[in-house]
Amino acid sequence: MGLPHGLDGTVEGREYLTFRIAQEEYGIDILKVREIRRYEAPTRIARTPAFIKGVVNLRGTIVPIVDLRMKLHQDCRPVYSEFTVVVILNLLDRVVGIVVDSVSDVLRLSDEQISDVPEFEGAIEVDSIEGLGTVGDRMLILLDIEKLMSNVDMGLVAADA
Amino acid sequence: MADTHPPPGTGAGSQFDLSQFYQIFFDEAAENLDQMEHMLLHVDLATANDEQLNAIFRCAHSIKGGAATFGFADIAELTHQMESLLDRVRRRELSLTPHVVDVLLDSADLSRVLLARHQGHQSGEPPSTAELVRRISEVMAGSQPSALPSVIDSVIDSGFEATHLPVDEQRRPRKLVLRIGPMATAEAADEIASLLCSFPHVEQLHELPVLQANVRALVVETTLTDEELRDLLAFHATTDQLGIEVDPGHDAREALPAASSFNSAMSDMEDEFFGLFSGAPGLPAENAAESAAVPAGAAPERPTALSAAAFEHKVGGNGNGNGNGNGTGAGIEAATIRVAVHKVDQLINLVGELVITQAMLAQNSRDLDPRLHQQLLAGLADLDRNTRELQESVMSIRMIPMSVVFSRFPRMLRDLALKCGKNVELVTIGEATELDKSLVEKITDPLTHLLRNSCDHGIETPAERVAAGKPEHGTITLSASHQGGSIMIEVHDDGRGLSREKILRKARERGLAVSDLMSDAEVWSLVFEPGFSTAEVITDISGRGVGMDVVKRSIAALGGSVEIDSAEGYGTRISVRLPLTLAIMDGMSVAVGDEVYILPLSAVVESFQVTAGSVNTVARGTPLVKVRDEYMPVVELDRLFDVPRKGAVAGAVTGTGTGTGTGHAAIMVVIEVDDNRAALQVDQLLGQHQVVVKNLETNYRKIPNVSGATIMGDGSVALILDTAAIVRRARGSRPLPHEIGYQELGELA
């Protein structure tokens, strides 16, 4: 991919897929990303949290779709257009799709570019934020997407499991 | 088996790694052990024919050969002893008594344990084969008490009655000079020598000096004929390698330490090596415990004498041509192949995808003009048919008969009954009923549990049974049958049955909310409460509660259900209902609002339109619909699944919870699960199709009232309804209709 490699052949830093939700830019570990798809209406599942949009058929696999905007309380009335993007993730032996506004980039961040999360009170699960990345004057919220998704509140896993 | 042949020229070398063939041996050995056990349990002791005895013999023979080839000394030794014993039996020198069967079954068990050890499933101290080897020797020795009293005295177990065994008066001990070799190595010759002397009825007197290091000459005393000796050693030495000469001038009854001259038949010997397993390390040593401890991993280096030809021969499952093991296993191998489960699973997934794609094509082509697209449509019709056939064939690969499960129970019950001092007969019905392999694997443990319970707690002791006016032996009936889209497995005993009072008392002690007014079915269902699975309960009530919660949970996890029927004094029947397969089913699609749900067709009884007035509510607004003479609860699917209704349509059907049908027609689908019915209210019936069942839990989680999902022709996902859960929910805590066959139970008692 023409990425900078160290002399010993190892790759410096980690790669992040960055995407936008409203005004904020997020980054998730690229290794967790399986593919990026267009949004298609999922089959609704009754009595699940609103941000669980339902399930779709991904070439024969039933995949739950989570609206990350709603999950992160950015916008409770999302509008889905043909530009809405679903990022399919491989997490903990599961395949899960997340809905984001737009995918921007794949960025490599070195350790110096990542700073710790300052303590703050917020709606978003702070402990699911790995750190904050700085790219020029952009700030990336680096999500521990696995942690976020495996949260019981998420409804992706049964509470008693 | 062609791919198991070692490359030419590598066989005799010590570099050749046998371990790559271990799995084949393990599989075959396990199969042979199962087969042997099955035959031992089913053979009629009195009328066993040659065919049966030979078949049993061949099993032991094959395992022994394989074990020796691969260097599993402990198994080789044990099975060798079994083989010797069986050989005597089939020669009618020993009758097949229950004691013989016991010893053989125990030996088979130990072989299994040893196999598991070599496969790395278990660790710790290796079990010793010495005890069983001794028991086998006893059994064999016991056959000729009068012929060889001195031998018998030394080995016979005091508790073993040998008097019922036939005594061969013709046999007298003879003194022989045995020449063994030339073998590949001196050790091999030593091993055979020691092996020979470990045989029953063969007593080594002394060894004679020989010229070659790889040849042994022994003076032995034996009652065996030459032919028997050759047979016993058939696996270890060829006829050429075994010389038998009667020691002239000595009567066997004379002083034992007498020396004998040995007329060597060295000139006859051929240097050509042709022994099959002569060098294998698996030959029984005198110290059984020691040989049992030989680690499997060390084995491959040792069989220096293993020739490529010999190996090939052995892996093929055949004996070495002396008539003992001809054709072993060949029939089975020709008829079946062993395939890794994941390959079949993958095939099924792919066919599932094909079915979906086919359905999609069919749907998209529906509006095409048949005149313009005649060829395309004809092709699609062919595709449709072929897909269906392909799907059926692929699905049938996974279907295996219940006999695979059932076959393990006679043995288990036999042992258990023996332990409990009970007389139990197991009757199995419907062994040919086929079930998906994944289900078969998962149902085995719960069934084992149920059968064990029946034997342990259900069936009374013979004395109790006689006192109760029942036949001394209890009967446990295990049956499997197809019922619509599901399979029904029943475990039915004619034992003491469950005691209502005891269960209720126990439930009260545990603080469960119970009342004397509860129906029997409700009382029986208490044994599924986790609280009932404690040790004290076993003695207090008839012990049905032991782990029954686990049984119920594991069956529910398979999409099945369990029901208990019981009558005190007459017995208990536990019915397990399971889906035939987890992967595919016939479904009926229904529309609710804009959504589509799938009902398992097997649960659908009928559908009809209802109009105003035919739906009534009872307390708390539960709607009931009258179908002919029966009132049944109505499940409004739109409410159950919170289906959004667009403005004007909302509340149109039966509307709000308190509404009773506001005059608009709705469609009711009557579903039945375990004799309980409920009516599902839907907007529209869409059609019937075969659906590929997809698991929601793979990537998501269990959803209440939904058993899975499927992919529709247009690629969208539809949820499959869990009819059992919906019916249970609809009927709430209402008593289940109690339809126990008391009369039937009484007849069996």
Side-chain angles (χ1 to χ4, degrees):
Chain A
M1 298 221 290
L3 295 163
H5 286 254
L7 283 177
D8 55 355
T10 56
V11 183
E12 274 179 57
R14 286 166 71 188
E15 276 189 290
Y16 291 86
L17 176 79
T18 67
F19 54 83
R20 232 165 229 296
I21 291 174
Q23 306 308 311
E24 291 169 1
E25 202 170 4
Y26 290 86
I28 52 173
D29 185 354
I30 189 87
L31 298 176
K32 303 270 190 284
V33 176
R34 177 166 162 161
E35 63 184 272
I36 296 167
R37 288 164 65 86
R38 201 162 50 91
Y39 181 82
E40 50 187 306
T43 298
R44 194 188 58 89
I45 291 178
R47 288 163 204 193
T48 51
F51 52 78
I52 304 242
K53 301 310 296 176
V55 287
V56 297
N57 161 28
L58 179 72
R59 291 185 299 279
T61 309
I62 308 286
V63 176
I65 300 294
V66 174
D67 189 317
L68 210 57
R69 279 180 300 192
M70 294 171 82
K71 173 62 189 163
L72 300 178
H73 300 269
Q74 292 286 338
D75 178 359
C76 287
R77 314 226 35 189
V79 181
Y80 300 102
S81 70
E82 55 183 306
F83 303 110
T84 310
V85 171
V86 176
V87 181
I88 306 288
L89 305 166
N90 280 321
L91 304 169
L92 308 161
D93 300 329
R94 285 161 180 259
V95 183
V96 175
I98 54 172
V99 186
V100 300
D101 284 355
S102 64
V103 168
S104 10
D105 233 335
V106 177
L107 289 178
R108 175 172 303 280
L109 294 185
S110 63
D111 291 348
E112 302 88 70
Q113 287 174 283
I114 299 174
S115 50
D116 288 343
V117 192
E119 289 195 21
F120 62 90
E121 195 78 16
I124 168 171
E125 283 88 342
V126 178
D127 59 353
S128 296
I129 302 179
E130 238 170 43
L132 297 175
T134 313
V135 184
D137 55 355
R138 289 155 70 192
M139 185 191 78
L140 286 177
I141 304 166
L142 303 181
L143 284 178
D144 183 343
I145 193 75
E146 203 151 88
K147 196 167 181 180
L148 183 68
M149 291 293 164
S150 52
N151 195 325
V152 172
D153 297 343
M154 196 69 189
L156 277 179
V157 286
D160 57 42
Chain B
M1 300 299 280
D3 58 345
T4 64
H5 295 172
T10 58
S14 57
Q15 302 298 309
F16 182 62
D17 182 14
L18 281 175
S19 59
Q20 57 184 306
F21 303 116
Y22 281 178
Q23 194 53 47
I24 296 166
F25 164 67
F26 289 137
D27 290 346
E28 280 191 356
E31 205 168 79
N32 275 313
L33 282 171
D34 287 348
Q35 213 179 334
M36 178 156 66
E37 184 180 293
H38 179 83
M39 290 188 290
L40 281 171
L41 287 170
H42 286 84
V43 71
D44 188 340
L45 298 183
T47 62
N49 61 32
D50 288 353
E51 192 59 40
Q52 290 169 310
L53 295 176
N54 282 336
I56 297 172
F57 174 84
R58 279 197 300 268
C59 292
H61 185 80
S62 298
I63 302 167
K64 183 193 78 172
T69 305
F70 290 101
F72 301 124
D74 43 4
I75 300 174
E77 188 201 357
L78 184 61
T79 47
H80 172 74
Q81 298 291 338
M82 295 165 75
E83 185 191 3
S84 307
L85 175 58
L86 282 162
D87 193 40
R88 299 282 305 280
V89 171
R90 67 176 185 159
R91 286 166 190 283
R92 310 283 175 182
E93 291 165 19
L94 210 59
S95 56
L96 194 62
T97 61
H99 185 73
V100 171
V101 172
D102 275 343
V103 170
L104 288 168
L105 286 174
D106 287 345
S107 305
D109 283 348
L110 185 62
S111 304
R112 268 202 199 94
V113 173
L114 294 171
L115 275 173
R117 278 190 59 78
H118 289 306
Q119 279 180 284
H121 292 336
Q122 281 154 25
S123 53
E125 275 297 296
S128 167
T129 55
E131 165 66 16
L132 272 166
V133 169
R134 190 185 59 80
R135 280 176 60 195
I136 294 175
S137 310
E138 280 169 19
V139 173
M140 287 202 279
S143 66
Q144 301 181 336
S146 58
L148 248 187
S150 60
V151 177
I152 303 297
D153 287 347
S154 62
V155 297
I156 193 161
D157 183 287
S158 54
F160 176 51
E161 288 291 330
T163 48
H164 59 286
L165 297 171
V167 176
D168 190 344
E169 295 288 354
Q170 302 303 310
R171 296 200 166 219
R172 290 185 56 219
R174 305 179 298 150
K175 214 163 174 191
L176 301 171
V177 176
L178 290 179
R179 186 254 314 153
I180 300 159
M183 308 307 292
T185 61
E187 291 82 44
D190 276 339
E191 275 187 275
I192 293 189
S194 58
L195 166 72
L196 181 72
C197 297
S198 69
F199 289 147
H201 310 307
V202 178
E203 199 158 310
Q204 184 184 353
L205 302 179
H206 59 99
E207 193 172 333
L208 296 169
V210 287
L211 300 173
Q212 280 171 266
N214 57 351
V215 174
R216 293 287 174 276
L218 306 168
V219 178
V220 298
E221 188 181 69
T222 180
T223 54
L224 301 177
T225 64
D226 291 2
E227 193 196 344
E228 283 166 345
L229 279 171
R230 286 183 199 283
D231 275 354
L232 282 173
L233 288 173
F235 254 99
H236 313 289
T238 61
T239 318
D240 295 338
Q241 288 170 327
L242 185 68
I244 301 176
E245 262 177 57
V246 178
D247 194 4
H250 281 94
D251 185 281
R253 291 184 189 273
E254 282 176 14
L256 294 184
S260 155
S261 64
F262 175 54
N263 286 326
S264 165
M266 291 297 175
S267 55
D268 296 338
M269 291 182 185
E270 295 159 27
D271 283 335
E272 183 195 359
F273 168 66
F274 205 66
L276 287 184
F277 302 105
S278 42
L283 305 180
E286 275 174 314
N287 185 339
E290 189 187 299
S291 73
V294 172
E301 283 100 68
R302 294 180 60 193
T304 50
L306 199 71
S307 73
F311 179 72
E312 182 174 331
H313 210 78
K314 195 51 224 154
V315 168
N318 286 315
N320 65 347
N322 73 344
N324 284 351
N326 287 341
T328 304
I332 296 166
E333 278 155 19
T336 61
I337 56 167
R338 238 184 267 282
V339 183
V341 176
H342 76 91
K343 290 187 185 170
V344 179
D345 286 346
Q346 196 186 358
L347 200 56
I348 286 169
N349 278 338
L350 288 172
V351 171
E353 292 307 301
L354 184 64
V355 169
I356 291 164
T357 314
Q358 184 271 324
M360 212 179 305
L361 288 174
Q363 194 166 337
N364 294 342
S365 63
R366 206 179 298 159
D367 301 329
L368 294 178
D369 185 337
R371 280 171 304 174
L372 293 174
H373 302 279
Q374 192 190 358
Q375 273 194 314
L376 175 66
L377 293 176
L380 285 172
D382 281 349
L383 179 66
D384 180 27
R385 195 178 56 246
N386 292 339
T387 312
R388 239 157 249 284
E389 278 173 19
L390 179 64
Q391 189 183 28
E392 270 166 35
S393 319
V394 170
M395 294 310 297
S396 72
I397 295 178
R398 288 173 62 104
M399 302 297 267
I400 55 173
M402 280 303 286
S403 57
V404 174
V405 185
F406 284 7
S407 63
R408 67 169 59 198
F409 294 134
R411 176 65 202 285
M412 188 199 83
L413 274 181
R414 180 183 187 274
D415 292 354
L416 194 62
L418 217 62
K419 221 190 287 169
C420 312
K422 289 173 183 173
N423 238 329
V424 181
E425 191 190 341
L426 178 70
V427 178
T428 53
I429 301 169
E431 290 185 297
T433 312
E434 286 198 326
L435 190 61
D436 192 277
K437 184 173 190 297
S438 58
L439 277 168
V440 165
E441 282 163 1
K442 288 170 186 155
I443 196 61
T444 307
D445 282 349
L447 276 186
T448 308
H449 198 98
L450 293 178
L451 277 168
R452 198 177 290 153
N453 267 358
S454 281
C455 178
D456 201 3
H457 311 298
I459 301 284
E460 312 91 326
T461 60
E464 282 172 330
R465 290 188 65 88
V466 171
K470 296 182 184 181
E472 206 172 271
H473 71 274
T475 307
I476 297 179
T477 311
L478 180 61
S479 66
S481 59
H482 285 305
Q483 294 197 354
S486 51
I487 185 168
M488 183 72 113
I489 304 169
E490 289 187 334
V491 179
H492 177 189
D493 68 63
D494 63 350
R496 55 170 72 98
L498 296 176
S499 162
R500 217 185 128 90
E501 291 92 71
K502 282 181 183 170
I503 294 176
L504 284 173
R505 197 176 66 223
K506 202 75 215 166
R508 285 200 187 92
E509 281 169 24
R510 306 222 149 252
L512 298 169
V514 293
S515 84
D516 286 332
L517 299 174
M518 285 166 83
S519 71
D520 278 357
E522 283 174 300
V523 174
W524 306 150
S525 67
L526 287 171
V527 302
F528 292 122
E529 291 290 327
F532 271 77
S533 52
T534 58
E536 59 192 284
V537 184
I538 302 174
T539 50
D540 278 352
I541 63 165
S542 52
R544 295 274 177 191
V546 193
M548 285 295 270
D549 56 324
V550 180
V551 171
K552 186 173 185 173
R553 222 179 310 136
S554 47
I555 290 169
L558 299 176
S561 58
V562 203
E563 253 181 63
I564 302 182
D565 281 342
S566 185
E568 198 169 354
Y570 289 111
T572 305
R573 179 206 310 268
I574 300 178
S575 313
V576 177
R577 188 187 287 272
L578 285 174
L580 271 186
T581 163
L582 298 173
I584 194 158
M585 66 173 196
D586 281 311
M588 172 182 266
S589 50
V590 297
V592 184
D594 287 338
E595 297 183 356
V596 175
Y597 291 91
I598 307 288
L599 286 166
L601 202 58
S602 55
V604 175
V605 179
E606 60 178 326
S607 59
F608 57 92
Q609 272 202 324
V610 284
T611 45
S614 56
V615 179
N616 304 295
T617 54
V618 290
R620 289 176 295 145
T622 310
L624 287 182
V625 65
K626 189 177 181 188
V627 183
R628 285 181 285 278
D629 289 331
E630 188 189 352
Y631 284 99
M632 58 181 75
V634 173
V635 178
E636 294 154 301
L637 276 190
D638 54 342
R639 291 184 63 207
L640 185 62
F641 288 106
D642 287 332
V643 179
R645 294 279 188 190
K646 287 180 194 109
V649 189
V653 185
T654 56
T656 61
T658 53
T660 60
T662 51
H664 295 264
I667 292 171
M668 294 284 180
V669 181
V670 177
I671 56 172
E672 180 183 278
V673 177
D674 293 339
D675 300 327
N676 296 313
R677 293 183 175 199
L680 296 186
Q681 183 184 296
V682 303
D683 293 349
Q684 208 186 332
L685 300 179
L686 298 177
Q688 293 176 10
H689 9 219
Q690 279 213 312
V691 299
V692 179
V693 180
K694 300 275 181 180
N695 194 339
L696 270 174
E697 282 139 90
T698 312
N699 293 317
Y700 192 36
R701 62 180 173 91
K702 178 115 185 73
I703 313 275
N705 303 318
V706 170
S707 61
T710 191
I711 296 164
M712 304 298 284
D714 60 0
S716 66
V717 178
L719 301 182
I720 300 168
L721 300 185
D722 182 349
T723 43
I726 291 173
V727 170
R728 262 200 307 277
R729 189 179 180 281
R731 302 200 75 102
S733 59
R734 243 158 297 180
L736 304 163
H738 194 240
E739 295 175 0
I740 183 169
Y742 278 101
Q743 205 175 345
E744 206 180 322
L745 287 167
E747 279 166 12
L748 278 163

